[in-house]
Amino acid sequence: MEQVLQVLISGILSGGIYALASVGLALIFGVVGLVNFAHGEYLMLAMYIAYWIYNFSGLDPYQSLIINLAIMAVIGYITFKVIMERVLDSDHSIQMLLTLALSMVLQNLALMFWKADYRNIRIDMTNDTMNLGFLTFNTPRVLAFFIAIGASILLYLFLQKTFTGAAMRAISQNGKAAQLMGINIKRTYGLAFVIGTTLVGLAGLLISPIYPAFPTVGASFSTLAFIVVVLGGLSSVPGAIIGGLVIGVVESFAGYLAGPAYQQAAYFLLFILVLVFKPNGLFGRS
């Protein structure tokens, strides 16, 4: 029983990170209508930024959080203005090919500048553990979980309680009607893209003391984020949070019951089942 509880909570802790990496993708898809295949590469960039700040200034990822997020917001804004804004009215296939190409470019730029070496951030907290009764948890994972869930809830409250959040929800429901009501569509698109990029950057920063940075690290998280977003209902932020937790638990139990080699197979199987039996996801609109 103790082992089952340990596996369950470990899965929930991982799921919090998956949720944070996914809510930005859900926001961008829901508001901008853009399927961003380069989403994971922003996570990779945030990990490299955390690594280089740590090496040059000695600031650990938590101390450099504001700097890292500010850089990610600027990168997101430049990406939107220089690239994404030009294809907003294009066919979805053009947008998907563009973001896929952007993903390849970012991966290869990382490979060119920083090589394929794994870059680890080893701070004092990296191997710290916390005990709760008979349960033991890695401290960076616990910290990452609470920050990730807190950020996801703040995003949800922003969307529900602010005028700008209401504008984003209006655009996600009917863009033309929202424009007729006086909402600046392109500015709202840009803000949604910047928030989504910053959130996945936060996820990258939080996992940087746990996972090494390397050029293709974003690809696996990008795949996970797409599964989580589909599971949660494509544009639903609460759905992405719940979906991330579900995927984390499924992955954790698959590793415990069948071995680490079957973790990916387990959540891909769940992905297929959702597409077959509930294609709109758990919280999606029909």
Side-chain angles (χ1 to χ4, degrees):
M1 184 60 191
E2 290 87 352
Q3 283 186 327
V4 172
L5 196 55
Q6 178 81 51
V7 171
L8 174 65
I9 296 180
S10 295
I12 291 173
L13 293 179
S14 297
I17 298 295
Y18 300 157
L20 181 61
S22 307
V23 291
L25 185 65
L27 179 70
I28 292 170
F29 179 77
V31 177
V32 188
L34 187 69
V35 180
N36 186 9
F37 284 105
H39 192 68
E41 274 52 61
Y42 295 104
L43 179 142
M44 175 267 291
L45 288 177
M47 294 180 74
Y48 273 115
I49 292 168
Y51 174 81
W52 289 115
I53 290 177
Y54 177 67
N55 273 274
F56 286 121
S57 71
L59 295 174
D60 68 39
Y62 308 109
Q63 294 169 328
S64 65
L65 187 144
I66 300 298
I67 301 171
N68 197 319
L69 295 189
I71 295 173
M72 291 307 301
V74 171
I75 291 174
Y77 180 76
I78 292 173
T79 305
F80 179 80
K81 294 300 289 184
V82 175
I83 301 175
M84 301 303 177
E85 195 176 52
R86 300 173 189 276
V87 296
L88 288 177
D89 298 324
S90 301
D91 189 79
H92 282 302
S93 59
I94 300 295
Q95 296 175 349
M96 287 190 286
L97 288 172
L98 176 71
T99 59
L100 192 60
L102 178 62
S103 168
M104 296 295 107
V105 168
L106 291 175
Q107 284 184 21
N108 282 279
L109 283 176
L111 187 62
M112 183 174 72
F113 286 119
W114 304 309
K115 310 304 178 186
D117 300 336
Y118 282 24
R119 313 278 180 169
N120 292 286
I121 297 177
R122 293 298 174 195
I123 58 177
D124 293 340
M125 193 191 295
T126 298
N127 295 316
D128 276 2
T129 57
M130 300 172 63
N131 295 313
L132 182 63
F134 53 83
L135 302 173
T136 303
F137 308 107
N138 179 255
T139 303
R141 286 183 181 275
V142 175
L143 196 56
F145 172 80
F146 282 109
I147 296 175
I149 293 298
S152 301
I153 292 173
L154 283 176
L155 173 64
Y156 177 74
L157 293 176
F158 169 77
L159 293 173
Q160 297 296 322
K161 303 293 184 184
T162 68
F163 176 80
T164 307
M168 289 182 180
R169 287 189 288 118
I171 290 173
S172 72
Q173 292 173 9
N174 190 322
K176 289 184 178 177
Q179 194 169 20
L180 290 174
M181 296 298 291
I183 296 173
N184 187 321
I185 297 285
K186 284 193 175 179
R187 189 167 62 189
T188 309
Y189 282 168
L191 181 60
F193 193 87
V194 169
I195 292 174
T197 305
T198 307
L199 285 174
V200 75
L202 177 60
L205 179 138
L206 292 175
I207 65 171
S208 59
I210 306 169
Y211 298 98
F214 53 96
T216 56
V217 66
S220 56
F221 282 94
S222 189
T223 304
L224 263 173
F226 274 102
I227 294 173
V228 167
V229 169
V230 171
L231 181 64
L234 291 180
S235 59
S236 169
V237 170
I241 297 172
I242 301 298
L245 296 176
V246 169
I247 291 296
V249 171
V250 167
E251 180 190 63
S252 186
F253 272 102
Y256 174 67
L257 296 172
Y262 295 93
Q263 287 179 316
Q264 284 192 343
Y267 58 70
F268 272 113
L269 179 61
L270 177 63
F271 180 56
I272 292 171
L273 291 174
V274 168
L275 288 178
V276 171
F277 294 106
K278 198 167 175 49
N280 294 315
L282 299 177
F283 296 85
R285 296 189 297 268
S286 59

